[in-house]
Amino acid sequence: MRIATWNVNSIRTRVDRVTDWLSRADVDVLAMQETKCKDDQFPTMPFAALGYEVAHVGHSQWNGVAIASRVGLEDVQIGFTGQPQWQDADEARAIGATCGGVRLWSLYVPNGRTLEDPHLPYKLKWLSALRDSAAGWLADDPSLPLALMGDWNIAPTDEDVWDMAVFANSTHVSEPERAAFRAINDAGFADVVRPFTPGPGVYTYWDYTQLRFPKKQGMRIDFVLGSPEFAARVTHGEIVREERKGKQPSDHAPVLVELAQ
């Protein structure tokens, strides 16, 4: 089974790129983030034409997460227990589904913005609630093949950014954020792609400004974190950097894993 995650940065803008890649890469399941549309605006027909079912949650032109699967789409869950919201906003940041016997979550972790912004404690609270829920899922079924996939908005190590000096006193690399990421690792979820894509200089995101992509000035912030059963089945992982090129790309590249049956 081939499973991927991709922050598409507006699915309506990039539906042709996304579906073209799904076909070329022979992907069975794709978790998407930043779809930036309401449920009734999601372009399901191009996915259906390729044999994919889609589960999506989106409330506005911000956020939005989805899972597209051609191997089944069951037990869809929007949000996880204890998931906080930003003030009164109902943000679409988490959706789970069982696809081909594998439990998958598409996650768009809050950005945090700056170290002084109230979005940072919101982000940390969000990650803490995710850690508690995910640990509970594993406790309930230790043999569950489960993956937490998406845009984490965290660079867990110094080699995951192109220049730490540039990110001094910034979010994404702060110790509280990194500690929150490690807490999810400690709960039993391993980065299953890094062994196949060791750094430094291996990134998943490049800002559109200042020619960051051709200058290789990026960040590794998109991850597939797998439970022990999921990780044991991974035979390959890659960051599909080529998809950051071309006309109207997302600022993120897809992250892809292969699972043995």
Side-chain angles (χ1 to χ4, degrees):
M1 186 185 302
R2 290 168 65 84
I3 298 171
T5 182
W6 195 357
N7 180 320
V8 295
N9 191 15
S10 178
I11 188 59
R12 287 179 292 173
T13 299
R14 279 171 258 286
V15 62
D16 291 342
R17 283 195 63 128
V18 171
T19 53
D20 176 66
W21 180 72
L22 285 176
S23 181
R24 287 185 287 109
D26 195 27
V27 173
D28 294 301
V29 186
L30 176 65
M32 289 171 273
Q33 302 85 44
E34 276 204 281
T35 56
K36 296 185 176 179
C37 64
K38 298 178 181 179
D39 290 345
D40 61 2
Q41 296 173 320
F42 190 96
T44 55
M45 291 307 296
F47 289 88
L50 295 176
Y52 292 88
E53 300 175 84
V54 177
H56 174 262
V57 57
H59 307 303
S60 67
Q61 73 272 28
W62 308 111
N63 310 316
V65 285
I67 297 174
S69 172
R70 64 181 187 184
V71 292
L73 192 68
E74 302 173 339
D75 301 322
V76 174
Q77 180 180 342
I78 296 172
F80 50 84
T81 300
Q83 179 182 334
Q85 295 293 336
W86 171 247
Q87 298 180 348
D88 295 328
D90 186 17
E91 294 193 318
R93 292 188 175 273
I95 190 168
T98 300
C99 306
V102 179
R103 188 66 177 169
L104 302 171
W105 279 86
S106 179
L107 304 169
Y108 181 42
V109 176
N111 184 286
R113 300 191 178 183
T114 72
L115 297 181
E116 295 76 30
D117 195 289
H119 278 84
L120 181 55
Y122 162 55
K123 177 180 188 175
L124 298 175
K125 184 178 180 181
W126 200 97
L127 288 163
S128 178
L130 174 62
R131 186 263 175 212
D132 291 346
S133 284
W137 299 330
L138 275 190
D140 290 342
D141 185 359
S143 65
L144 180 66
L146 166 65
L148 311 176
M149 312 166 59
D151 178 357
W152 292 78
N153 273 313
I154 299 171
T157 73
D158 288 357
E159 72 177 23
D160 294 332
V161 297
W162 62 274
D163 185 349
M164 272 299 296
V166 173
F167 293 91
N169 303 313
S170 298
T171 57
H172 293 58
V173 300
S174 74
E175 180 51 31
E177 292 166 283
R178 287 179 169 180
F181 191 92
R182 291 194 301 270
I184 293 173
N185 295 151
D186 293 342
F189 295 88
D191 180 350
V192 299
V193 176
R194 195 181 295 267
F196 299 93
T197 59
V202 181
Y203 308 128
T204 65
Y205 164 83
W206 302 260
D207 194 280
Y208 288 127
T209 64
Q210 301 184 50
L211 300 174
R212 295 296 190 203
F213 183 69
K215 291 179 180 178
K216 301 181 180 179
Q217 296 174 346
M219 307 174 72
R220 187 194 289 239
I221 57 175
D222 302 83
F223 298 95
V224 178
L225 302 187
S227 68
E229 179 64 23
F230 184 95
R233 290 174 56 183
V234 174
T235 60
H236 176 70
E238 66 179 286
I239 297 165
V240 191
R241 189 178 184 275
E242 291 298 306
E243 291 305 311
R244 179 59 175 79
K245 299 179 180 178
K247 184 179 179 180
Q248 286 193 312
S250 170
D251 43 4
H252 295 251
V255 180
L256 173 70
V257 297
E258 292 187 18
L259 298 188
Q261 296 298 322

